[in-house]
Amino acid sequence: MIIEFKMPKMGESISEATIISWLKNVGDYVEAEETILEVATDKVDSEVPAPVSGVITEIRFHKDTVVEVGTVLALIDSEGTQESIDKKQEVSIKESSSSIAVDSPKPTTENRQLKVNPDAFISPLITSIAQKENLSIEELQTIPGSGAEGRLQKSDVFNYLKNRKYPIQSKPISNSQPTTSYPKPKINFVEGKDRIVEMDRMRKMIADHMVYSKQTSPHVTSYIEVDVTNLVNWRNENKDKFQEKYNEKLTFTPIFVQAVAKAIADFPMINVSVDEKNIIVHNDINIGMATALPNGNLIVPVVRNANEKDLAALATDVNYLAEASRNNKLKPEEIQGSTFTISNVGTFGSLMGTPIINQPEVAIIALGIIKKRPEVISTSKGDEIAIRSMMYLSLSFDHRVVDGYLAGSFLRKIGDYLERFETNRKI
């Protein structure tokens, strides 16, 4: 019985995934629930198990191909067994040993010319890919299509680009991007000293996302300085009690998430997205927390409905997401649906930052390092100099829909929640 092995659903808003690698080949026997495929959705890699035991008879899509959810990836013969495979291999070995070896002529590459199909249909999607990859029309017409009636698919283009060495010199496809007479600066590469490191898949996606954000949103950044002395003292006094009671570490992050969620509830127009000429106001407050990975890349897991959770629940979520991020255990849905993002640049010793907005959100806050320094404070005796714990907050916002008044008021509200932290709250 032939079973269709389909691309599984990875999350509510995920419609496609990229094949990273097949762990089995055609003709291999697999056990039910055995991992046979690795796929990538956005920034998360996932393992896909076999639905049944059997022998793989066909694999329809290969590495680096983007496949929609529900598409048949392979066929599995559920009646196939390991014993049948072993018998076939034995027969194959006997036949090969008894046959006479005949040298077959090797294909030559001399005078080889690429076959150009001037009638090839090129879809708008293929055209957009070609513009991005600097492929000419003539070069596109040389790529064999695997679709119906030889139609060119995006997987064909990606496979071609992977092995592309000598692009055809031709007039490039015209695009709507404004041109400039300023020449691209030359990169000086010193042979034997410098080295080339190819971007991995995640770094390429991060780069594309950051460039897209800067091109989409006019970024403006506002700053405030906050006295978090009371907050720091409370956390230092209660972190051991907190871990003993809830079995969770109490870092500063859940406290920051709670303050941001409260401020968003006060200023809901910061919790929006832009859809052309419309503003989508989100009811849920889902806080993305930018998290550095061991390999240097970045991922943004999401604390959902942060405004509805107490500090203990926020600490549990934050600790789980941070640990899952570091160990590549995040589920696809755990990096989807954020409505506002925080970036704790102080973790790396930075005083402040100017973060890039995580699209399709309209604002992101950077939290600087907490530093002790002498400050002038007002007391009942007048102005005095005291040692205080200070930090900078910086808010980057989309000036299409967020103006200075809203951004400044929202940022100041976060600062107020941190400075007026309730030091008498119980664990």
Side-chain angles (χ1 to χ4, degrees), residues 85-132:
I85 295 176
D86 294 339
K87 289 180 180 180
K88 287 182 180 180
Q89 290 176 345
E90 289 177 5
V91 173
S92 177
I93 293 172
K94 290 179 180 179
E95 290 178 349
S96 62
S97 62
S98 62
S99 63
I100 300 174
V102 178
D103 292 333
S104 58
K106 297 180 179 179
T108 61
T109 56
E110 295 179 5
N111 301 323
R112 186 178 127 198
Q113 293 183 345
L114 294 173
K115 183 179 179 181
V116 177
N117 178 15
D119 298 323
F121 174 76
I122 299 175
S123 67
L125 173 61
I126 299 299
T127 301
S128 66
I129 296 173
Q131 290 173 348
K132 182 179 177 181

Side-chain angles (χ1 to χ4, degrees), residues 150-365:
R151 183 169 176 172
L152 193 62
Q153 297 183 319
K154 62 180 180 181
S155 58
D156 301 325
V157 179
F158 290 144
N159 289 333
Y160 172 78
L161 288 170
K162 182 180 178 182
N163 301 306
R164 182 189 189 209
K165 293 182 179 179
Y166 304 104
I168 296 175
Q169 297 299 321
S170 180
K171 184 179 179 181
I173 299 174
S174 61
N175 57 50
S176 58
Q177 294 292 334
T179 58
T180 175
S181 59
Y182 184 78
K184 180 180 178 180
K186 180 182 178 181
I187 298 176
N188 294 319
F189 181 81
V190 181
E191 193 72 36
K193 291 185 178 181
D194 300 337
R195 61 193 180 97
I196 298 174
V197 179
E198 184 179 358
M199 288 187 185
D200 58 26
R201 180 182 54 81
M202 182 179 289
R203 176 49 55 187
K204 290 177 182 177
M205 288 192 294
I206 293 172
D208 290 342
H209 191 61
M210 295 298 98
V211 171
Y212 171 77
S213 183
K214 291 293 286 187
Q215 292 177 341
T216 300
S217 301
H219 281 58
V220 180
T221 306
S222 294
Y223 306 85
I224 62 169
E225 190 177 24
V226 180
D227 185 342
V228 291
T229 304
N230 293 337
L231 185 158
V232 171
N233 291 340
W234 180 88
R235 184 254 177 183
N236 290 339
E237 291 173 2
N238 291 279
K239 60 182 180 181
D240 292 338
K241 298 177 184 176
F242 190 92
Q243 183 162 9
E244 182 179 345
K245 182 174 182 178
Y246 299 107
N247 195 31
E248 294 286 349
K249 290 183 178 179
L250 179 60
T251 64
F252 287 109
T253 302
I255 300 175
F256 295 148
V257 170
Q258 188 175 61
V260 169
K262 287 182 178 179
I264 291 175
D266 295 331
F267 295 92
M269 290 307 294
I270 209 79
N271 196 52
V272 305
S273 296
V274 180
D275 181 17
E276 295 183 355
K277 299 301 180 181
N278 297 320
I279 300 175
I280 310 300
V281 183
H282 301 294
N283 182 62
D284 294 336
I285 299 177
N286 301 329
I287 307 297
M289 42 182 251
T291 305
L293 300 176
N295 62 3
N297 286 326
L298 182 73
I299 200 165
V300 186
V302 182
V303 180
R304 298 188 178 278
N305 303 115
N307 57 314
E308 300 175 3
K309 298 176 179 178
D310 60 15
L311 193 58
L314 290 174
T316 300
D317 284 359
V318 166
N319 292 339
Y320 161 74
L321 292 171
E323 184 68 18
S325 299
R326 287 190 290 267
N327 295 304
N328 195 28
K329 296 295 184 182
L330 284 172
K331 301 174 184 177
E333 60 268 21
E334 291 172 339
I335 62 167
Q336 301 286 331
S338 61
T339 58
F340 185 92
T341 298
I342 64 174
S343 178
N344 193 350
V345 299
T347 303
F348 314 108
S350 296
L351 191 64
M352 65 176 69
T354 55
I356 297 176
I357 298 168
N358 183 23
Q359 298 292 330
E361 300 162 21
V362 298
I364 180 173
I365 192 169

